[in-house]
């Protein structure tokens, strides 16, 4: 899900199979996307992240991408662990593209929050507020989001089941 606001900000919720092809078709430059929020770590919600992170810097995405996601019941189930090991997996790629001006594009900011937090604030800047809460999906650690801006809101739950918090 890509949310484009009238204030020039773009937010992505989950980055599974195929959205990057759609963004290219719609001519949305990768460098205009600076915030990616994940509901959970199933591959159909995460699989385009390595490609996006590796090619965003050479499309003038020279500032760090900020990646938001939950912790897990154990450290290896959190977004920080996932991104750390994804960067290890892409070491050769990153080094081979270091010849181009990439600035801090290969150095993501990872904002991991407690997956049990009910209504925590994941993001609040420029009149945009994004809250998160735990939701039900196969295993502890899935989360949902609500983006509020300019009197409007959107909720995104991934493919999670409804619960009383949602």
């Amino acid at each position: 899900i890509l949310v484009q606001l009238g204030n020039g900000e773009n937010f992505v919720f989950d980055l599974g199979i195929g959205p990057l092809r759609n963004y290219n078709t719609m001519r949305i430059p990768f460098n205009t996307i600076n915030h990616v929020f994940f509901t959970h770590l199933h591959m159909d919600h995460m699989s385009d992240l390595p490609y996006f992170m590796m090619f965003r810097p050479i499309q003038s995405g020279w500032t760090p991408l900020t990646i938001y996601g939950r912790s897990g019941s154990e450290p290896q189930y959190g977004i920080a662990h996932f991104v750390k090991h994804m960067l290890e997996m892409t070491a050769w790629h990153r080094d081979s593209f270091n010849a181009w001006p990439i600035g801090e594009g290969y150095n993501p900011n990872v904002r991991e929050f407690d997956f049990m937090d009910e209504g925590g604030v994941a993001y609040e800047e420029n009149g945009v507020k994004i809250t998160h809460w735990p939701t039900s999906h196969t295993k502890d650690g899935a989360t949902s989001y609500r983006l509020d801006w300019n009197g409007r809101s959107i909720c995104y739950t991934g493919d999670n089941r409804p619960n009383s918090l949602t």
Side-chain angles (χ1 to χ4, degrees), residues 75-111:
Q76 71 266 25
Y77 300 143
I79 190 75
H81 182 85
F82 183 91
V83 172
K84 175 185 176 203
H85 290 283
M86 188 192 66
L87 288 170
E88 290 174 3
M89 174 185 80
T90 57
W92 186 90
H93 176 99
R94 289 182 289 118
D95 188 56
S96 70
F97 277 98
N98 248 345
W100 285 293
I102 56 169
E104 294 295 313
Y106 284 144
N107 301 321
N109 291 322
V110 178
R111 297 203 179 152

Side-chain angles (χ1 to χ4, degrees), residues 33-99:
I33 299 170
N34 298 313
H35 305 282
V36 179
F37 296 78
F38 289 101
T39 58
H40 61 289
L41 297 180
H42 281 151
M43 286 297 103
D44 60 329
H45 292 258
M46 303 285 298
S47 61
D48 271 1
L49 180 62
Y51 183 91
F52 181 68
M53 282 190 56
M54 295 305 105
F55 287 96
R56 182 179 166 273
I58 59 174
Q59 290 186 14
S60 302
W62 301 330
T63 59
L65 174 68
T66 304
I67 300 170
Y68 304 81
R70 76 316 167 277
S71 64
S73 57
E74 298 176 40
Q76 71 266 25
Y77 300 143
I79 190 75
H81 182 85
F82 183 91
V83 172
K84 175 185 176 203
H85 290 283
M86 188 192 66
L87 288 170
E88 290 174 3
M89 174 185 80
T90 57
W92 186 90
H93 176 99
R94 289 182 289 118
D95 188 56
S96 70
F97 277 98
N98 248 345

